[in-house]
Amino acid sequence: MISSNMPVGFIGLGAMGEPMALNLRKAGIALIVWNRSMPKRAVLARAGAGVADECAQVFEQCEIVLLMLAHAEAIDLVLARGEPRFAQRVRGRTIVHMGTTSPAYSRGLEQAIRAAGGRYVEAPVSGSRKPAEAAQLVAMLAGDRESVALVRPLLDAMCKRSEYCGEVPAALTMKLAVNIFLITMVTGLAEAMHFAREQGLDLAQFVAIADAGPMASDVSRVKAAKLLREDFAEQASIENVLDNNRLIAAAARAANIATPLLDVCHDLYRETRDLGRGREDMAAVVKAIEARTERAGTER
């Protein structure tokens, strides 16, 4: 059970972390937060969270620390992994890894934390900024059941559903599988809308038909609206999708698993980034498809 007198730590207030932490505050959970950039800390301060000047202070004041960080290097830096301070930060604490890294990295991190006397839970989430704001994320959990049970009430404040997947790194492996579906689905939608536009169809009508059909989902509705308006404000960025694509490809290669659709998507998202759109939403992949159409036209 989470002590009402002990604040929970939250490190990483990016596009996803900020709304997730805000939902914890809305649920009345005492927080101590830290983020590298000051403006993000100020947002949580206004919501009533305590703000640490240094990340070490989060570990000093909290028994449970949630990490929503972009990559393994950031996690190692925050935990001071490989330094004597690492044991001081994790001993007697439950570290919850909510970002997306390789399963192999997570397995090694769990071993290091447990060897230092800490607990570890994998809790990656499926969803982008909009479902994060609405507390509609889906969490995948892995670790020993006692540690998972300890942090489940926190997940309930941020997610509409959480699923226990087994021992580490089952949750991150599940997240990668889910992301194959997400990446290929959004890319397919972008290609369909590009086809409709090039054929001179009414795009609003296309979106209405797609929304009413059996393929419609929360994701397709959000991304179709963005494509219709050419609104590429970040929810899940092109760079983030590329990072996820690389993680999936590496895991697939290690297990001799074919990922032909993902390989095509990798090329398209890389081309989108090379167009200078790396920080835009993944729906901007349509720009790489448009560029291919333009090149095909000049080659005729």
Side-chain angles (χ1 to χ4, degrees), residues 7 43 48 100 102 112 144 151-152 167 176 208 239-240 245 255 260 270 288:
V43 171
T100 305
S102 74
D144 70 83
V151 303
R152 264 191 188 274
E167 296 299 314
L176 297 185
E239 289 284 6
N240 180 254
N245 201 310
R270 177 180 49 77

Side-chain angles (χ1 to χ4, degrees), residues 86-88 90-93 110-119:
F86 174 75
Q88 298 170 5
V90 305
R91 185 182 298 117
R93 293 169 182 82
E110 180 200 33
Q111 292 169 352
I113 288 173
R114 293 181 68 173
R119 290 181 168 188

Side-chain angles (χ1 to χ4, degrees), residues 178-258:
V178 169
N179 278 359
I180 294 175
F181 183 35
L182 171 65
I183 293 168
T184 55
M185 177 177 63
V186 173
T187 308
L189 175 63
E191 183 171 306
M193 288 194 68
H194 173 65
F195 175 85
R197 186 189 298 274
E198 292 296 305
Q199 292 286 357
L201 300 178
D202 183 327
L203 290 188
Q205 186 177 49
F206 170 89
V207 170
I209 292 169
D211 282 353
M215 293 93 68
S217 67
D218 289 345
V219 171
S220 72
R221 292 187 176 100
V222 169
K223 298 306 182 187
K226 290 180 77 66
L227 287 161
L228 181 63
R229 300 190 305 267
E230 293 205 334
D231 165 22
F232 300 126
E234 178 187 356
Q235 293 174 338
S237 73
I238 293 291
E239 289 284 6
N240 180 254
V241 173
L242 262 177
D243 288 342
N244 277 266
N245 201 310
R246 293 188 192 103
L247 291 173
I248 299 165
R253 285 195 299 270
N256 295 315
I257 299 170

Side-chain angles (χ1 to χ4, degrees), residues 95-127:
I95 307 299
V96 185
H97 170 23
M98 301 194 71
T100 305
T101 61
S102 74
Y105 168 82
S106 184
R107 184 188 294 111
L109 182 60
E110 180 200 33
Q111 292 169 352
I113 288 173
R114 293 181 68 173
R119 290 181 168 188
Y120 179 77
V121 174
E122 261 184 7
V125 292
S126 181

Side-chain angles (χ1 to χ4, degrees), residues 105-181:
Y105 168 82
S106 184
R107 184 188 294 111
L109 182 60
E110 180 200 33
Q111 292 169 352
I113 288 173
R114 293 181 68 173
R119 290 181 168 188
Y120 179 77
V121 174
E122 261 184 7
V125 292
S126 181
S128 58
R129 185 175 177 91
K130 186 171 182 178
E133 291 172 343
Q136 292 293 296
L137 298 169
V138 177
M140 291 144 278
L141 303 172
D144 70 83
R145 288 186 177 274
E146 184 179 353
S147 298
V148 169
L150 179 67
V151 303
R152 264 191 188 274
L154 299 175
L155 275 296
D156 291 343
M158 299 179 284
C159 305
K160 66 179 179 180
R161 180 168 180 165
S162 60
E163 288 281 342
Y164 180 71
C165 299
E167 296 299 314
V168 173
L172 271 166
T173 306
M174 184 69 76
K175 172 69 186 295
L176 297 185
V178 169
N179 278 359
I180 294 175
F181 183 35

